[in-house]
Amino acid sequence: MVGPAPFVEMGKKAKDLLTKDYNFDQKFSLSMLSSTGMGLTATGLKKDQLFFGDINTVYKSGNTTVDVKVDTYSNVSTKVTVNDVWPCSKAALSFRIPDHKSGKLDVQYLHPHAAIDSSIGLNPSPLLELSATIGNNELYLGGEVGFDTASASFTKYTAGINLNKPDFSAALLLTDKGQALKASYIHSVNPFTSVAAEMAHRFSTYENTFTIGSFHAVDPFSVVKTRFSDNGKVAMLCQREWRPKSLVTFSAEYDSKAMNASPKMGLALALKP
């Protein structure tokens, strides 16, 4: 079914080019998938002198997916997703142990001319969230709102419009409860190269920020990304698929305004036997 994307997808193409896969720590992940529908992923992250890790198990059966993650602090996160609860919809129940107030129910409904997402916390004073878009896969507009029943106050309200064309995508969003305006744009120069930009203006302080970046496929197995921000930070990424579905990624960032600081560098290795 072709229709508008959920509101959370608005401006995501440009944001992914500018931020996805950048990592300035040491990260390792190993993923395995069995023929029975069971998937297992072990991830380790070394940040400064600290080490974090988790084991994630995903099991799919029919329209149901069960996702369980255990981290190094013995937190157990579980998410159960059921597709086609009724036509064009899905529901997800998630909770985290030992946090007994973390339960949440998410429901999504997709229509050829609309997409609706809702979320409610499963506790005595839940956080309510609702987002919707209307239009089609080329042009759509929408908004989202969050309400905290404990304080009887709105936690967020955002509105935006998105335009998709075969060679570019642009989005304009009014964010931070109407306090900021954000625009993003991504353009496919050719099948191997894309460029993107994201700009924001805050009305209260008249502050303007921007980030620009590029993506280039050197060959079918290697990509290079670059990024520059108004805060003086310059970053680059090199990613190589050295075997099918297994990636090695090197990232580096230099802060031109912190002359005495060393550049940040990171290495990520993702194995999928």
Side-chain angles (χ1 to χ4, degrees):
M1 178 181 61
V2 179
F7 185 81
V8 70
E9 299 288 326
M10 196 170 288
K12 187 175 182 296
K13 292 180 181 179
K15 188 174 185 64
D16 282 350
L17 188 149
L18 296 172
T19 62
K20 188 177 180 181
D21 293 328
Y22 280 98
N23 168 65
F24 305 111
D25 301 296
Q26 286 74 52
K27 184 178 181 180
F28 173 81
S29 65
L30 174 64
S31 301
M32 294 177 289
L33 180 65
S34 70
S35 58
T36 61
M38 175 78 74
L40 178 67
T41 301
T43 303
L45 175 67
K46 184 178 182 294
K47 187 177 181 67
D48 297 326
Q49 301 301 317
L50 301 176
F51 179 82
F52 307 91
D54 61 65
I55 296 177
N56 186 39
T57 302
V58 178
Y59 178 72
K60 296 181 180 180
S61 177
N63 294 335
T64 304
T65 302
V66 180
D67 189 329
V68 180
K69 178 185 290 186
V70 182
D71 63 23
T72 49
Y73 297 101
S74 299
N75 295 310
V76 181
S77 302
T78 303
K79 184 175 183 179
V80 181
T81 304
V82 181
N83 292 303
D84 295 323
V85 179
W86 59 86
C88 307
S89 69
K90 70 176 180 180
L93 173 67
S94 60
F95 56 90
R96 186 171 63 254
I97 300 172
D99 186 358
H100 64 281
K101 294 183 178 180
S102 62
K104 186 173 68 169
L105 177 64
D106 298 291
V107 178
Q108 181 183 79
Y109 175 70
L110 300 178
H111 184 271
H113 301 292
I116 301 173
D117 287 272
S118 62
S119 173
I120 180 172
L122 302 179
N123 55 68
S125 302
L127 176 65
L128 308 176
E129 294 183 343
L130 176 68
S131 67
T133 57
I134 57 173
N136 52 49
N137 65 324
E138 184 174 283
L139 177 65
Y140 60 93
L141 56 89
E144 66 174 355
V145 62
F147 184 77
D148 187 354
T149 58
S151 60
S153 62
F154 288 99
T155 59
K156 63 179 177 180
Y157 39 86
T158 308
I161 185 170
N162 197 102
L163 174 64
N164 292 322
K165 290 292 185 179
D167 60 339
F168 75 87
S169 178
L172 184 66
L173 294 100
L174 186 65
T175 65
D176 293 342
K177 300 181 180 180
Q179 295 301 307
L181 186 66
K182 180 184 292 186
S184 64
Y185 179 81
I186 181 170
H187 183 81
S188 179
V189 180
N190 56 53
F192 310 103
T193 304
S194 298
V195 294
E198 190 174 79
M199 294 156 283
H201 173 76
R202 184 163 290 277
F203 298 111
S204 59
T205 61
Y206 300 101
E207 178 187 7
N208 296 305
T209 59
F210 72 86
T211 302
I212 57 176
S214 66
F215 170 96
H216 179 68
V218 180
D219 57 47
F221 309 103
S222 306
V223 300
V224 176
K225 294 172 66 174
T226 60
R227 183 179 71 192
F228 175 74
S229 301
D230 66 287
N231 57 11
K233 293 183 178 180
V234 182
M236 68 163 292
L237 174 151
C238 298
Q239 188 176 79
R240 174 75 176 177
E241 185 180 12
W242 58 283
R243 58 175 297 172
K245 299 182 180 180
S246 294
L247 304 172
V248 57
T249 306
F250 173 77
S251 306
E253 182 182 66
Y254 175 69
D255 189 348
S256 61
K257 295 184 179 181
M259 302 298 295
N260 297 325
S262 300
K264 294 181 180 179
M265 291 182 285
L267 182 67
L269 181 63
L271 300 178
K272 293 185 178 181

